Amino acid sequence: VTREALTRKLSSLLIWEKFDGRTKGWVRCDPPVRHISILFDAQNFKHLPSLAGVTRQPYFRESDGQLVTETGYDPISNLFGVFDSKAYNIPANPTWEMAQEALVLLTDLLMEFHFVSETDKAAALSAIFTAVTRPTLDLAPAFHVRAPIFGSGKTYLCDLIGAFAAPGGNAKVSYPSTSEEATKVILSLLMTGPGVIEFDDMDSDWIPHGTIKRMLTADKITDRILGYSKTATVSTRTLFLGSGNNVGPIRDL
């Protein structure tokens, strides 16, 4: 949050007053700037529960494998569910046959894409599975859609994969050209807790910037917030996608 947003929130939650020497009484006022600064500059809040991420659909809890269908905060996984549980018809005792039928349904969604091999189609299915389970995974790979020509459906495939992660579409950005730009872009995006970050229509390879490497190999990253002398630690439990013609990961990536 910004200082202004914190001030507005505290104003809506509490009635603030100060003693007026002229009237010898208490009068309404804004939250004191000193209080706002102390809260805004703090790095730790012992009274707030830890938040590992936001889930937009039912999810399997890592610690015990339990399928969580309730919305709101789960103190065991530290995840916050934001979805309509009534929209999901989940069988009590799923069978292998049900899984096979679901796989056929998913495969049919990919019929229009011209994959080079079955391995490439399997990677697309893997991206869909990862999209669903990403909030419960400490680490997960990024997925890149590559094609030799324009108009081959790269962005459409990324949109299809992203639909399984969260409603509202993918957060589409350009791939950062410098390490400094990567730090600013990735941190600011992850602070919003998006379901998907997509590097759309890349005209360069996946250059191994430090922040890019950390977001794929750590469950959290810490960097300085642009415009403030403070740092933020954010979760990387977001699905990362990329698309481009004749480009791909290089060197460390």
Side-chain angles (χ1 to χ4, degrees):
V1 298
T2 63
R3 293 177 186 270
E4 293 75 17
L6 184 59
T7 301
R8 184 172 62 251
K9 190 64 177 177
L10 288 177
S11 298
S12 67
L13 293 174
L14 299 168
I15 294 176
W16 298 83
E17 295 180 330
K18 65 179 180 180
F19 188 77
D20 187 352
R22 291 174 299 177
T23 62
K24 306 299 181 182
W26 293 91
V27 296
R28 295 282 292 270
C29 66
D30 291 333
V33 175
R34 178 172 177 269
H35 290 64
I36 298 296
S37 297
I38 291 174
L39 287 173
F40 184 79
D41 293 334
Q43 294 290 317
N44 299 297
F45 301 90
K46 65 179 182 179
H47 298 294
L48 294 180
S50 175
L51 182 63
V54 176
T55 67
R56 281 109 176 154
Q57 55 199 320
Y59 58 96
F60 285 100
R61 201 158 49 200
E62 292 173 87
S63 59
D64 55 11
Q66 181 72 29
L67 179 63
V68 179
T69 59
E70 298 294 325
T71 58
Y73 183 72
D74 179 52
I76 299 177
S77 65
N78 295 335
L79 293 172
F80 196 96
V82 184
F83 53 85
D84 181 7
S85 57
K86 298 178 181 177
Y88 296 87
N89 183 19
I90 302 174
N93 298 300
T95 64
W96 176 258
E97 289 73 21
M98 290 178 181
Q100 291 294 99
E101 292 174 1
L103 182 59
V104 170
L105 180 64
L106 293 177
T107 304
D108 287 345
L109 292 176
L110 303 175
M111 286 180 59
E112 295 184 63
F113 299 102
H114 299 286
F115 295 104
V116 175
S117 68
E118 286 298 310
T119 302
D120 295 294
K121 182 188 290 187
L125 286 170
S126 175
I128 290 175
F129 297 152
T130 305
V132 175
T133 60
R134 185 65 187 97
T136 64
L137 302 175
D138 284 339
L139 302 173
F143 291 87
H144 181 69
V145 182
R146 179 170 55 193
I149 58 174
F150 292 97
S152 54
K154 300 182 300 298
T155 299
Y156 182 47
L157 179 55
C158 286
D159 287 340
L160 175 62
I161 294 170
F164 286 86
N170 304 347
K172 298 177 184 287
V173 296
S174 298
Y175 195 85
S177 57
T178 65
S179 293
E180 182 181 4
E181 181 187 355
T183 299
K184 295 176 182 178
V185 170
I186 298 303
L187 183 66
S188 60
L189 284 172
L190 288 178
M191 287 178 68
T192 66
V196 184
I197 294 177
E198 177 189 346
F199 301 115
D200 190 30
D201 285 333
M202 296 171 58
D203 55 9
S204 68
D205 290 313
W206 285 69
I207 304 170
H209 301 307
T211 299
I212 301 293
K213 291 189 288 185
R214 289 197 299 274
M215 77 182 192
L216 296 176
T217 56
D219 64 336
K220 295 182 180 66
I221 61 173
T222 301
D223 270 308
R224 188 176 70 86
I225 302 175
L226 181 64
Y228 296 101
S229 58
K230 63 183 297 187
T231 61
T233 299
V234 292
S235 170
T236 59
R237 297 191 182 204
T238 293
L239 180 68
F240 294 98
L241 301 176
S243 66
N245 292 318
N246 303 309
V247 297
I250 59 174
R251 299 197 303 275
D252 291 12
L253 289 178

